[in-house]
Amino acid sequence: MTHTPNAGAPPTLPAIPPQPTAPAAPPASAPGPGTTPAPTTVAPPPARRTAFAEGVDQLRRAATTEPGRLRVIGAVLAALVVAFGAVTAWQMTDRAAAADDVLTSSQPLTSDAADIYRSLADANTAASSGFLAGGQETAATRDRYERDIRTAAGKLVNAAANAAPGSPSTDTITKLNRLLPEYKGLVERARTYNRQGYPVGGAYLRYANEKMQQEMLPAAQDLYTKENQRLRADYADATPYPWPAIALGLAALTALAWAQRRTYLRTHRVLNHGLVAATAATAIVLLWLTAGHALARSHLDASYDHGVRSLDVLHDARIASLKARGNENLTLVARGAETKKVGDETLDAYDHDFGRDMDALGKGLAVAERLADDATGAQPVTAAVSNMTEWKKRHAAAREQDENGNYQQALDMVIGPKGATGECFDSVDKNLATALAHEETEFAEAAGAGRDALTGLPAGAAVLGVLGAAGAVLGIGRRLSEYR
């Protein structure tokens, strides 16, 4: 019997030969000796966006919806109206302050500077007149000299109180305060020696006159020039048109009109109360701005053309008459001791200067007549012209007597009680003082009206600007409520 394997046993599979195994790779964290590890690349974190960029995106997304667009429109309208009110208030505040300075500061100080010059020149004239009279000096002449000195000293104190510390005007005022006592001392010495009959008195008076003519009057003229420049600067600050405010006002009105038209086209509602209120407030400020500034500018221009210009000319004419009178007196005091070479001629220095000053007086009076805009202002100027003409005639007659050796007759024709040139000078000075008072009144009225035309405008513009912005926000808010 043949033996067979067990039928239930599983079949035997052939043996699989063993496969070679690859060596294990070293771990990344443990490089082998002599090797450089590869750099590890780390991805950078995403850049954080700025708040401004995110805000722009939010606005862009919001602007794609009607509520978002309305919010943007409301913000722009409010900003325009507020900016208009703020710029108007700022510009009108500056102009109102400059207009007030014209009326209360720079012009009065300019007049004070002119009065300082006039008082010093008149004191010099009175001193020479008193010297010529010698022991016969009248109380009126002495009082006039003392009054002029007090006036000059008082005006210098006032100018020092109102001048800016450290300014050139302050330095000039300090100089005049130092020179004034020196001048008074020289005049008193001249009077003392003159009463005693010493000829040296004339030398002291000429020295005092040189100090006045070469140091004090030029310093006073410099002070007047500086204050006049300050006055013109104040006019330049008060009168320019406020173009930035006007431009913002027109832009705000245009934007408000566009917003209301847009609202009408989308809702068919004719009026939006908030936007109408904002438009009305903006229109009121713009109208007030243009009308108020135009009125103020007109009055300020009138105060300059019919006030300041006339005052300048009249001040110069009055100063020329004072200098002429002083030189006329000094011609007799010096008795030919002071000469001047003019071309081929040798002339008396003081008489030559007298002629130059009278020419300046004549030109000034001619200009003042042209500038006078009413009979009240023209009449005293015309009278001064007549006085000047007579003065020239009497002066020529006095010089003829002096040149012929008749000194006492010449002296009587200059400082005598009747028919003297002093009468003509006094009439010229009195008429010019009357004309100056009239022009100062006209200036004060016109400049005051110009300043008053701006009263309340800065504060009113600020308040109405805020109210207008609130109206614009409320008007747009009313439209936004329809989407809630």
Side-chain angles (χ1 to χ4, degrees), residues 140-180:
T141 301
R142 179 74 180 186
D143 290 344
R144 181 171 184 169
Y145 168 79
E146 296 292 346
R147 184 175 62 251
D148 287 332
I149 293 296
R150 288 195 302 270
T151 299
K155 295 290 185 180
L156 284 170
V157 171
N158 186 56
N162 290 279
S167 66
S169 294
T170 302
D171 296 338
T172 304
I173 294 168
T174 302
K175 179 180 180 180
L176 285 170
N177 278 321
R178 175 178 55 81
L179 292 173
L180 188 59

Side-chain angles (χ1 to χ4, degrees), residues 171-318:
D171 296 338
T172 304
I173 294 168
T174 302
K175 179 180 180 180
L176 285 170
N177 278 321
R178 175 178 55 81
L179 292 173
L180 188 59
E182 296 177 8
Y183 171 80
K184 288 179 62 181
L186 291 170
V187 170
E188 291 306 319
R189 286 189 179 185
R191 282 176 168 164
T192 299
Y193 287 123
N194 188 45
R195 284 194 296 266
Q196 295 174 358
Y198 296 142
V200 72
Y204 271 105
L205 186 67
R206 290 195 298 274
Y207 185 32
N209 178 71
E210 288 177 5
K211 183 174 287 291
M212 177 65 73
Q213 298 290 343
Q214 298 177 11
E215 297 184 62
M216 299 177 70
L217 290 182
Q221 179 66 46
D222 182 60
L223 179 63
Y224 175 72
T225 300
K226 288 183 173 68
E227 295 302 331
N228 217 338
Q229 290 171 349
R230 179 182 169 188
L231 174 61
R232 282 168 169 75
D234 286 337
Y235 268 107
D237 291 338
T239 54
Y241 284 103
W243 292 118
I246 292 174
L248 276 172
L250 293 174
L253 280 180
T254 302
L256 286 165
W258 172 83
Q260 290 175 87
R261 182 176 183 277
R262 182 180 185 277
T263 299
Y264 169 72
L265 292 176
R266 290 175 178 270
T267 65
H268 298 289
R269 295 171 186 166
V270 178
L271 298 177
N272 178 295
H273 294 162
L275 294 179
V276 169
T279 304
T282 303
I284 290 172
V285 174
L286 185 59
L287 181 62
W288 191 0
L289 169 65
T290 53
H293 182 268
L295 184 62
R297 181 187 175 95
S298 175
H299 284 303
L300 288 171
D301 285 344
S303 73
Y304 184 83
D305 292 335
H306 304 298
V308 172
R309 290 180 63 196
S310 294
L311 287 171
D312 287 347
V313 172
L314 290 170
H315 279 308
D316 291 342
R318 198 177 187 190

Side-chain angles (χ1 to χ4, degrees), residues 8 22 37 58 65 97 115 119 152 229 236 307 336 365 387 392 458:
Q58 290 177 2
T65 64
D115 286 342
S119 297
Q229 290 171 349
L365 291 176
N387 301 145
K392 288 181 176 180

Side-chain angles (χ1 to χ4, degrees), residues 10 45 54 69 92 98 123 142 146 149 172 252 323 370 388 408 411 428 438 455 476 482:
E54 292 178 356
R69 284 190 287 268
M92 289 302 99
R142 179 74 180 186
E146 296 292 346
I149 293 296
T172 304
K323 293 171 70 175
R370 290 198 302 269
M388 180 192 67
Q408 187 59 47
L411 185 63
V428 169
H438 172 72
T455 300
I476 294 298
E482 298 171 0

Side-chain angles (χ1 to χ4, degrees), residues 442-484:
E442 285 206 330
F443 162 81
E445 291 176 353
R451 180 194 61 180
D452 294 343
L454 299 176
T455 300
L457 179 52
V463 171
L464 287 174
V466 172
L467 293 177
V473 171
L474 291 175
I476 294 298
R478 175 64 178 165
R479 285 282 296 120
L480 280 170
S481 65
E482 298 171 0
Y483 290 88
R484 298 187 184 123

